[in-house]
Amino acid sequence: MAYDLAAIRRDFPALDLKIHGRPLVYLDSGASAQKPRRVIEAMAEGYAHEYANVHRGLHYLSNLATEKYEGARAVIARFLGAAHEDEVVFTTGSTESINLVSYGWAAPRIQPGDEILLSVMEHHANIVPWHFLRERQGAVLRWVDVTDSGELRYDQLEAAIGPKTKLVALTHMSNVLGTKVDARRATEIAHAKGVPILFDGSQAAVHGPVNVAEIGCDFYAITGHKLYGPSASGALYGKQERLAEMRPFKGGGDMIREVTLENVTYADPPLRFEAGTPPIMPIIGLAEAIRYLEGVGMAEISAHEARIRDLAREKLSALNWIEVQGDAADKGAIFSMTMEGAHPHDMSTILDQSGIAVRAGHHCAQPLMKRFGVTATCRASFGMYSSPEEVDALIAGLKTCRRLLG
């Protein structure tokens, strides 16, 4: 089936906006994606006519909300290729998911000198929770480098895993470089030495099919707002045996089995990790976003974005005054750029005047910025709705930046 880009673009109301009198060219999907109309409508209908708190209520609205909320667990499990629905823990996004693993699984196992292994291209969400363990329990953070083109150094990964390594935690796709990590290869390296592995799938899960069973990983985090769903939604996949090993992260309703004056017993996973009133409608909205993605086809989305990537790569390479950080062969459609004599913030401001939305800054990846010798970049990140015409608009906008700033 042909990829109907025009129909997809019509599904996203934000793409009809005019910014400073110019059509919006939204190239900031790597930070947060726009939402299709059906996600917006599903949440609006839920708040208007289907809302009640979930679990334990015996009235119609509570049963309806619970059915839709728990139905989202099956949708996410299918989307990730999980073997069991109860391997999916609802969270507010990847940041909470990674913190849950840090506090619930890793912290009880860390003694002074024990190691967490990371790559230099991690988002801060997959760095700071491990620094907590360094500060509080004496953990040691060890780092795997990338090549100058942005590829993970698998030789370093294998060499760095030692008897004190408790966990490997890697991005599946860099939000700065677009580098795609070979997750199965990394998992096999870790598991060969008896070490569990976590993947931050915030970027990767948006851009192509993910199957955690095939990868074999122990944990996998996704975030809803990058998956064309609402903010404050996300999930953690964890193997059943790993979730069973974890202590609760937060205390409150839904995560308990029984509470007495003297004691408390906890629910089985995943409810053990879902304390309090959850983000009901955001989770329902996330499930609707995933259904939308599956309707288009993740393989088809990946192929479309590869075409956009190749076009952008070709046209950017002709601008010898633009430097793109990282050029891995199978990178995603993410381009982090610098221009001699121009600050990325100034580039972003000028592009905005033409209706072009990009991101400027360190992208919550300061160790990676240091690795490539920059303090900030101007990042254009494409999505399922991006068009060849938007690539042309970006190139024209960069030429304007050159004229005004160069």
Side-chain angles (χ1 to χ4, degrees), residues 117 142 154-168 185-196 242:
L117 187 57
R142 298 197 65 187
Y154 295 95
D155 57 335
Q156 283 192 9
L157 174 65
E158 185 167 12
I161 300 175
K164 287 186 173 294
T165 307
K166 294 299 182 183
L167 182 72
V168 176
R185 180 180 179 185
T187 298
E188 289 173 349
I189 289 171
H191 284 180
K193 298 193 176 185
V195 177
R242 295 300 178 204

Side-chain angles (χ1 to χ4, degrees), residues 27-31 119-125 127 146-151 171-181 200 202-204 207 226 309 313 316 323-328 330-338 344 359-382:
L27 303 182
D28 197 24
S29 294
S119 82
V120 297
M121 59 181 169
E122 300 310 312
H123 188 281
H124 292 171
I127 296 177
V146 295
T147 66
D148 289 343
S149 65
E151 300 276 7
T171 183
H172 194 180
M173 177 176 171
S174 169
N175 70 308
V176 176
L177 308 175
T179 298
K180 298 177 184 177
V181 169
D200 175 0
S202 302
Q203 293 291 334
H207 298 294
K226 298 183 195 297
R309 175 204 63 203
R313 176 185 265 155
L316 285 168
E323 182 177 1
V324 176
Q325 306 299 324
D327 192 33
D330 189 33
K331 66 175 285 176
I334 296 174
F335 297 87
S336 293
M337 302 166 285
T338 56
R359 178 80 26 172
H362 55 62
H363 315 299
C364 295
Q366 288 176 300
L368 186 61
M369 295 291 112
K370 183 177 181 180
R371 162 64 177 83
F372 280 90
V374 297
T375 57
T377 69
C378 180
R379 184 187 70 187
S381 51
F382 298 86

Side-chain angles (χ1 to χ4, degrees), residues 98 118 122-130 169-171 198-200:
I98 295 168
L118 311 166
E122 300 310 312
H123 188 281
H124 292 171
N126 197 28
I127 296 177
V128 177
W130 313 116
L170 300 175
T171 183
L198 171 149
F199 286 101
D200 175 0

Side-chain angles (χ1 to χ4, degrees), residues 17 25 46 65 106 123 140 151 171-172 204 232 242 280 300 352 375 397 401:
L17 289 171
V25 177
H123 188 281
V140 174
E151 300 276 7
T171 183
H172 194 180
R242 295 300 178 204
I280 301 166
E300 288 74 13
D352 178 64
T375 57
C401 291

Side-chain angles (χ1 to χ4, degrees), residues 22-359:
R22 309 285 288 274
L24 171 63
V25 177
Y26 190 75
L27 303 182
D28 197 24
S29 294
S32 203
Q34 295 298 332
K35 319 305 172 191
R37 186 173 285 103
R38 61 186 278 182
V39 170
I40 299 167
E41 291 175 349
M43 293 182 67
E45 175 65 14
Y47 278 122
H49 301 122
E50 300 171 348
Y51 182 80
N53 212 331
V54 294
H55 304 145
R56 294 185 302 278
L58 298 179
H59 58 83
Y60 173 82
L61 284 178
S62 181
N63 287 335
L64 178 60
T66 300
E67 180 181 352
K68 290 199 167 189
Y69 177 79
E70 286 299 331
R73 209 180 298 274
V75 171
I76 295 170
R78 180 183 69 234
F79 180 70
L80 292 177
H84 307 282
E85 291 179 24
D86 59 9
E87 293 178 317
V88 173
V89 179
F90 293 142
T91 67
T92 57
S94 295
T95 298
E96 184 181 14
S97 295
I98 295 168
N99 275 274
L100 169 57
V101 176
S102 175
Y103 180 86
W105 188 86
R109 291 164 173 76
I110 292 292
Q111 299 297 320
D114 286 340
E115 297 171 353
I116 306 292
L117 187 57
L118 311 166
S119 82
V120 297
M121 59 181 169
E122 300 310 312
H123 188 281
H124 292 171
N126 197 28
I127 296 177
V128 177
W130 313 116
H131 269 300
F132 286 172
L133 299 186
R134 178 191 60 79
E135 292 175 342
R136 300 168 186 176
Q137 297 182 221
V140 174
L141 305 189
R142 298 197 65 187
W143 300 90
V144 177
D145 200 4
V146 295
T147 66
D148 289 343
S149 65
E151 300 276 7
L152 183 69
R153 290 284 305 273
Y154 295 95
D155 57 335
Q156 283 192 9
L157 174 65
E158 185 167 12
I161 300 175
K164 287 186 173 294
T165 307
K166 294 299 182 183
L167 182 72
V168 176
L170 300 175
T171 183
H172 194 180
M173 177 176 171
S174 169
N175 70 308
V176 176
L177 308 175
T179 298
K180 298 177 184 177
V181 169
D182 185 335
R184 184 167 181 172
R185 180 180 179 185
T187 298
E188 289 173 349
I189 289 171
H191 284 180
K193 298 193 176 185
V195 177
I197 188 166
L198 171 149
F199 286 101
D200 175 0
S202 302
Q203 293 291 334
V206 187
H207 298 294
V210 171
N211 189 304
V212 293
E214 292 180 1
I215 293 170
C217 58
D218 299 270
F219 301 104
Y220 196 96
I222 62 171
T223 195
H225 70 101
K226 298 183 195 297
L227 277 162
Y228 307 96
S231 56
S233 69
L236 172 71
Y237 160 80
K239 285 183 176 178
Q240 286 181 316
E241 58 269 32
R242 295 300 178 204
L243 294 180
E245 294 168 349
M246 290 171 60
R247 66 183 182 182
F249 183 30
K250 296 180 290 188
D254 263 9
M255 53 78 65
I256 56 90
R257 176 173 285 115
E258 183 179 11
V259 175
T260 69
L261 295 180
E262 296 81 18
N263 197 14
V264 58
T265 57
Y266 304 120
D268 293 332
L271 290 182
R272 181 186 301 172
F273 312 111
E274 296 177 3
T277 297
I280 301 166
M281 288 306 156
I283 292 295
I284 290 172
L286 172 57
E288 191 64 28
I290 288 173
R291 292 187 190 98
Y292 177 81
L293 290 169
E294 291 176 332
V296 176
M298 292 307 297
E300 288 74 13
I301 292 170
S302 179
H304 167 73
E305 291 184 358
R307 292 189 291 269
I308 294 293
R309 175 204 63 203
D310 292 345
L311 178 63
R313 176 185 265 155
E314 175 188 352
K315 297 202 169 190
L316 285 168
S317 67
L319 307 181
N320 59 14
W321 35 270
I322 289 288
E323 182 177 1
V324 176
Q325 306 299 324
D327 192 33
D330 189 33
K331 66 175 285 176
I334 296 174
F335 297 87
S336 293
M337 302 166 285
T338 56
M339 188 175 89
E340 186 176 355
H343 195 282
H345 289 172
D346 295 330
M347 296 170 64
S348 175
T349 300
I350 291 171
L351 290 169
D352 178 64
Q353 294 302 307
S354 296
I356 303 169
V358 295
R359 178 80 26 172

Side-chain angles (χ1 to χ4, degrees), residues 311 315 356 387-398:
L311 178 63
K315 297 202 169 190
I356 303 169
S387 69
E389 291 77 14
E390 291 180 320
V391 175
D392 292 337
L394 173 63
I395 299 301
L398 291 172

